[in-house]
Amino acid sequence: MSELKPDQLAPWQAQAMTIPEDYDLAAMGGRAGGKSRFLAALFLRHCEQYKEQARCLVVRRSFPGLQDLESEFRAFFHAIYGNGSRYDAQKHRFTLPNGATIQLDQLEREADFLKFQGKSFTHIAVDEAGQWSTPALVDRLRSSLRAPEGVPTRFILLANPGGAGHAWLAQRYALRESWLPYQCSATGADFVTISTTYRDNPFIDQEKYRRNLMASCSTDPELAKAWLDGDWSVIRGAFFASVLDESRNKVEPWSEIPSIKAWRPYLAHDFGVAAPSVTYLCLESPGAEGPDGRYYPKGSVILLDEFASVLEDDLNRGLGLTVPDLSDHIRAMCDRWGVPPQGVADDAIFNRTGSQAGSIADEFARSGVRFLRARKGSRAAGWEVMRRMLADAGAIDKPGLYISRLCRYWWLTVPSLPRDQRRIDDLDTTAPDHAADACRYALNRSEPVTHIPITFAN
């Protein structure tokens, strides 16, 4: 039996190897902390102990993304076994001398999951988990985690801050205290989170790596800092990072609206069924002091309250509510504040559905909620308005954007939304951008919302 030498593991890796196999693992640190090397060592120990009964799997979203991991695994296993291990490049599978296997595969969409159905793996790892905007496929992969009696199973997640999946990973795993066991509320699995940075990796030139990473993110130095420090609790590197500050933009819940006529309440809505549906109760300030004693310059917008039909453990999936059910929730929110249920929404809900029901906007109107179209314009222009108003919050002479602590979904998702790497002036639309979209509509309404006529289908 081959054995790892102690000097082949960093101190944190050696400590992580002592965590009982009863616990799943979430390695959530910064870049270059040595997570891939740790995964290879973890698989190796499992394979040495359980031999041909050990079947390990590691997935990424694409095969090209597996190339670096494949190279690192090949070097690692060659150092242990020499020519005793085999790698099948076509099947992306390592076979160790004792018959244990380690499979590398991709999982991008629902159709890819079919190849794992009916298969059993004793250890499953999801590398670069932040590339999945929703945990649905990642969670489903657990169904292939099966083993003969006496062989332990384990699920491992590896991720860095940022990316489309930042919000769900932070909510579930990354913001937990490192090295302490807990139960994941979404899956019921017992987990331990491990947080590391490049400073914990003795196998690299740390200073050279730091300089190279900072240079690679020269247009987004805050993202480089997040990757270097492994900090999931801040908004470094996100689309709104340079303009959003909780001390300026977050407000405590109001007890009432001082004057409905003066403060001009209205709704802003982003419709979804499979995706979340998000509605904000907004106020436009007349240039006055709010119940919280803060002065809001004229034209400032306050997101006062929120209804979001979203799964608690998947911030990118909706509850599938019908328009009448959504309307009930929206009207109830408006009733709490004594305001009429009317406002603006995205263009899509005004398209005719081809049935007697007319458009989704017509269906809302029949349910007592009335919407006008939000002003047309490019997404990039809308985001620029939102960025400017976030940045101007707190100024005494400029209208700003303020968001109540009641708007929980906004605060869970918007601060960490990443840029689209191909269109740097837009958000990554695979991330949970539904609250941001509703907020954008709130800032881009074409006229004050007063009486809205109802148009019924013929």
Side-chain angles (χ1 to χ4, degrees), residues 35 71 113 141 221 229 322 366 396 443 456:
K35 293 189 289 292
S71 297
F113 180 75
L141 198 57
D229 297 335
T322 65
R366 285 191 290 273
I396 62 172
L443 304 180
F456 292 101

Side-chain angles (χ1 to χ4, degrees), residues 47 73 116 118 120 144 160 190 270 350 353 375 412:
C47 291
F73 274 26
F116 301 115
S120 300
S144 294
N160 304 308
D190 294 321
D270 182 56
F350 297 90
T353 61
R375 186 170 55 201
L412 279 174

Side-chain angles (χ1 to χ4, degrees), residues 284-301:
E284 181 181 336
S285 172
E289 191 175 281
D292 54 1
R294 177 183 236 167
Y295 177 75
Y296 296 89
K298 185 176 181 179
S300 292
V301 173

Side-chain angles (χ1 to χ4, degrees), residues 138-444:
V138 174
D139 288 344
R140 198 166 302 145
L141 198 57
R142 298 183 73 100
S143 64
S144 294
L145 198 61
R146 296 183 293 269
E149 186 176 356
V151 179
T153 60
R154 192 174 229 180
F155 201 75
I156 304 117
L157 294 162
L158 303 97
N160 304 308
H166 179 103
W168 70 266
L169 286 167
Q171 184 182 31
R172 286 189 181 188
Y173 311 110
L175 297 182
R176 299 280 186 165
E177 188 170 350
S178 292
W179 306 105
L180 294 182
Y182 61 92
Q183 186 177 70
C184 172
S185 59
T187 64
D190 294 321
F191 263 89
V192 171
T193 289
I194 304 165
S195 181
T196 63
T197 72
Y198 75 102
R199 302 177 187 89
D200 300 307
N201 187 352
F203 303 108
I204 62 170
D205 183 330
Q206 296 178 1
E207 179 56 27
K208 184 176 181 180
Y209 177 78
R210 185 193 67 81
R211 291 197 304 267
N212 287 340
L213 186 60
M214 292 297 292
S216 72
C217 298
S218 59
T219 60
D220 201 347
E222 289 298 302
L223 177 59
K225 291 178 183 178
W227 282 347
L228 289 172
D229 297 335
D231 192 343
W232 292 72
S233 64
V234 295
I235 57 173
R236 290 173 175 169
F239 187 83
F240 298 106
S242 62
V243 294
L244 178 57
D245 184 340
E246 286 194 21
S247 66
R248 293 185 294 102
N249 300 110
K250 181 180 279 190
V251 297
E252 292 301 308
W254 286 16
S255 57
E256 61 180 353
I257 301 173
S259 167
I260 290 177
K261 184 176 181 181
W263 283 84
R264 294 167 63 177
Y266 63 99
L267 299 174
H269 175 78
D270 182 56
F271 181 73
V273 179
S277 182
V278 183
T279 309
Y280 288 107
L281 173 56
C282 314
L283 297 177
E284 181 181 336
S285 172
E289 191 175 281
D292 54 1
R294 177 183 236 167
Y295 177 75
Y296 296 89
K298 185 176 181 179
S300 292
V301 173
I302 302 98
L303 304 190
L304 193 65
D305 205 349
E306 166 192 85
F307 175 71
S309 63
V310 59
L311 286 175
E312 184 67 27
D313 63 336
D314 187 342
L315 300 176
N316 221 3
R317 290 182 62 193
L319 297 178
L321 298 183
T322 65
V323 169
D325 287 338
L326 282 172
S327 299
D328 287 344
H329 288 285
I330 294 169
R331 290 200 319 272
M333 177 175 66
C334 292
D335 288 345
R336 289 197 302 271
W337 294 94
V339 301
Q342 55 189 28
V344 293
D346 57 297
D347 273 354
I349 74 166
F350 297 90
N351 297 331
R352 289 298 181 96
T353 61
S355 69
Q356 291 299 314
S359 68
I360 293 172
D362 292 333
E363 194 173 355
F364 269 117
R366 285 191 290 273
S367 298
V369 179
R370 298 172 174 83
F371 288 120
L372 291 173
R373 296 174 186 264
R375 186 170 55 201
K376 290 184 178 180
S378 71
R379 284 171 56 89
W383 298 137
E384 188 54 36
V385 171
M386 187 168 164
R387 287 173 57 85
R388 187 187 71 244
M389 292 189 68
L390 284 168
D392 288 342
I396 62 172
D397 57 345
K398 297 178 181 178
L401 173 60
Y402 303 85
I403 305 93
S404 169
R405 184 163 51 82
L406 292 178
C407 301
R408 180 172 175 268
Y409 185 63
W410 197 100
W411 286 109
L412 279 174
T413 58
V414 174
S416 60
L417 289 173
R419 292 182 182 276
D420 187 313
Q421 295 303 307
R422 291 167 296 181
R423 300 184 301 274
I424 62 172
D425 58 353
D426 198 359
L427 292 175
D428 182 342
T429 56
T430 65
D433 60 351
H434 318 287
D437 279 337
C439 185
R440 176 163 56 90
Y441 304 144
L443 304 180
N444 284 278

